[in-house]
Amino acid sequence: MRTIALRVKRDSIELLYSENDNQEPFRKFIITYNTEQTIGDNLEKIKVALAGLKIDAAILLNSLEYEFSDTIVGINHNRIDIGLAITNMMNIPVVSQSDVAKNGLAKAVKHKERYNEWHLDYFGEYEKKRNYGQEAMLTIGNGYFGLRGAYVEAHADADNYPGTYVAGVYNQLTTKIGDRDVTNEDLVNMPNGQFLTFGVDGQPPFTINQKDIQDIYRSLDLKRGVLRTAMHVQLSTGHDLSIVTTKVANMQNWHDYAIQYAITPLNFSGTLQIYSEIDGTVTNGNVDRYQDFDQHHLQITGMSSRDNEMYMTGETKNSHIHFVVGSNLRLLKAKKQPPIEVNNQENRLQQILSTDVSVGKTYNFEKNVTIYTDRETAADSLNETASQDIASASYDQTAKQSEDYWKQAWNNFDIKIDTDITSQKLTRVNLFHSMVSAAAIGSGKLNASVGARGLHGEAYRGHVFWDEMFVLPFYTLHYPELTKQLLMYRYRRLDAARAYAKQENYDGAMYPWQSGQTGDEQSQFVHLNPITHQWDPDNSRLQRHVSLAIAYNVINYTQVSGDHEFMDKYGLEMLLSIAKFWISATTYNAKEDRYSIAHVMGPDEFHENYPNADEPGLTNNTYTNIMVAWLFNYLVELQPEVPKSTFKSVQKKSEFDDSLFDKMTDISHKLKLDINKNGIMAQFEGYFDLPTLDFDAYRRKYGDISRMDRILKAEDKTPDAYQVAKQADTLMAYYVLNIKEVDQILNQLGYHMPKEYLTKNIQYYLNRTTHGSTLSRIVYSVLTEMDDNMDQSWSLFSQALFSDYYDIQGGTTAEGIHLGVMGATLMIETRNYGGVDSLGREINLHPNLPAEWRSISFKQLIRGHWYDFVITQSQIHVTADADSTVQFKGKPVELKANQEKVIDY
């Protein structure tokens, strides 16, 4: 094993490189510490010094002794977990010399590798957006609620935001902005039931602050769904305490979560007070740019306490969703429970438990919390149901039910990556949050869907966007019933989509760009530019392609799951209604013998209209037109496969006349695209008339130009006037479909592309894209992989995989994780890099594994059968639970039930 041994000194770091298990001969390096530079910049010198050397592990020779980590050191009066930092920087495990001495090098390294792959850890107290972002990444939940990973001792302030969100609980409020009444619908921040803190000898309760906290370490155990925070506190009075908080969401009884609060007095005996709260004074305050709006969504209607229990009831102010939050508090292993004092304030319940404590002894307190709303529970039984729940709740029960769920879940969907610790950890982070955002919806008892930011924050006001398209394919391959319920959210709002189309003078069903409680359009007419602090017009509702994303989700689900009953009962009605909308959105030009679609936007939100145009929107967006043709083709092919009586019945419900099939066929052969002589497809008609931008000059001036729209508007310019894109747009169809399908549509439309046109288009648009959306890197990673440019694909994929962990957009993760990106990275790993494509009628295998990975393994549920895959750099190992056939390089490969088949490539 090739190792580096590190010894951290006062002004330098000594490195010893060995190619033989930390044995001689050594190559020695000295990294001089520069106090003018950040710790990160100083550590980066390690990477530079060791450039070109192969390293399997690092050994820390003089770490400090801590219960929560064995790789902490002191540098320039700061303690850091250098193990975490080096693992992130160099993708190798870091072990302590004491661990090596006790267990041997090989065992210590293997143990640390496994730990790193299953834990998301943060050491130290952070502030403002950085801590907000860590809270989002440490969120626990179950799809019914999300509980941000805040310190239990914190109330909302500039550095901490303990938000709680329940799926589907929205409320609308109206605020006067200038001379305009602006109505916003928000996913409501519910009463904070996780609050716990302590006091010593009757002194004021402890609050989160840098002066008192000596050390703090947060660790999310992805395998069991448990968040653990270890804190060493020294109060201004000299009292030293160790506080360990453990939180877990119940993945089976998804109304509950539980907290263990373990406190050890380190240098005193006396009395300890535990303060437990349910705080109903909370507002929606997670997103700075929303603070001009009224954010007070809750009306508290009742507060009660009895014994060790307390309950808060209330409703949302305008949507009138009733709720109850209940909790209990107890001291574990106590012969007699200490008395509990009640100290309620307006809209805030508080219990105070006081007990005698002795130095060096650990005291374990437990708080159980339950949340119910009348969206899933009868309104007249809310209080009784919550009371019965709390009476039987315990931390052990919640932890056991959670552990049982996660054990089954990881067996279902885990993706195992060999020789890449960081990719493995962040893949599991994405898997974890995908289920935290949605799991309970699969029960069929919740009329809700997944918001673009999960249940992790308040950005986009918790609304449902086209981002579903990036995560539903993953759910379908593992929990098809969950996907079905997410699609039912859309079906239940089909009438709202019809009403929206009619309102805008279209036929059929037009789904809103932003959807919330009822399925009406929640996009705003203005939005705040944080650079200029001015309100700019917002035409994002013109992204009508969201209806195409929903159609794609329906088709993907039925093809992969084989659930034709869903298609007959629900899906077909949605597809015909959406198709009817798109037919009505086209106009025919007899002179050109072409159809056009106007007044739309593509996924690139920088372009909302033409410069100096009187009407908003663009004409003939390439992605939109290709996907419309694809949808029309699919429906024409689907018609003979559906029982005639079923099809006629759905046609009648959808008011879809037989003549519209001829219309669809005509449109799908004559939609207009703007393509130049070099085969470059215009993002929309007239795109080539726009001037280009000097991106290098803007980068020199501003650094980060991802939100070029805001920069240009601050300069009194408009992105509408330039060839600049926020994210992938023109080439999106190649991500959603595949090259062969898109080429067939282009030929069908009468556009015959030159050789290597896709390569030229990819580079053309990469040169004009700022990746202001994290989804952009996802799409271009797939496009460049398709184009056999693996270096660029891997770079873009890695940035997307790291995007929330490193909050690469400079504070947006603070407002919630990016669920679409998380789901999409999983599909890149299995569909593109692993090469398992199940979208069509056959399973096609075409692996293209990154050089950084030795192998990837996963299982998928495809048309009712489980397939296990292990993909190496030269072989495909596949096992199915029934006789079946897969395609490899265009040829069928027969599989026998439960017998591994090895395919060389």
Side-chain angles (χ1 to χ4, degrees), residues 620-633:
N620 293 327
N621 172 254
T622 291
Y623 167 63
T624 300
N625 286 15
I626 289 175
M627 291 303 294
V628 167
W630 172 78
L631 173 61
F632 288 180
N633 288 346

Side-chain angles (χ1 to χ4, degrees), residues 5 15 39 86 107 135 147 201 216 229 248 274 296 400 445 571 592 613 620 665 814 819 895:
L15 308 176
I39 292 174
I86 290 176
K107 190 174 180 180
E135 291 174 342
L147 186 71
D201 293 340
I216 195 162
T229 301
V248 61
I274 301 299
H296 297 78
K400 176 66 166 59
K445 298 177 181 179
E592 295 181 337
N620 293 327
T665 300
L819 183 61
L895 304 179

Side-chain angles (χ1 to χ4, degrees), residues 322-333:
H322 295 84
F323 62 83
V324 58
V325 180
S327 72
N328 64 20
L329 177 67
R330 64 172 69 100
L331 171 62
L332 299 181
K333 297 182 180 179

Side-chain angles (χ1 to χ4, degrees), residues 453 460 466-467 470 513 603-606 705-709 725-728 769-780 796 799-800 803 808-809 812 818 820-821:
R453 298 303 193 92
Y460 303 153
W466 77 316
D467 301 60
F470 294 88
W513 176 238
D604 165 33
E605 296 174 311
F606 283 1
I705 62 168
S706 58
R707 291 309 305 263
M708 196 68 189
D709 57 331
K726 177 183 178 183
Q727 64 193 88
T769 303
T770 67
H771 304 301
S773 165
T774 48
L775 288 171
S776 187
R777 293 176 177 86
I778 287 291
V779 176
Y780 279 112
L796 290 162
Q799 291 171 40
S803 58
I808 64 174
Q809 290 190 313
T812 63
H818 296 78
V821 173

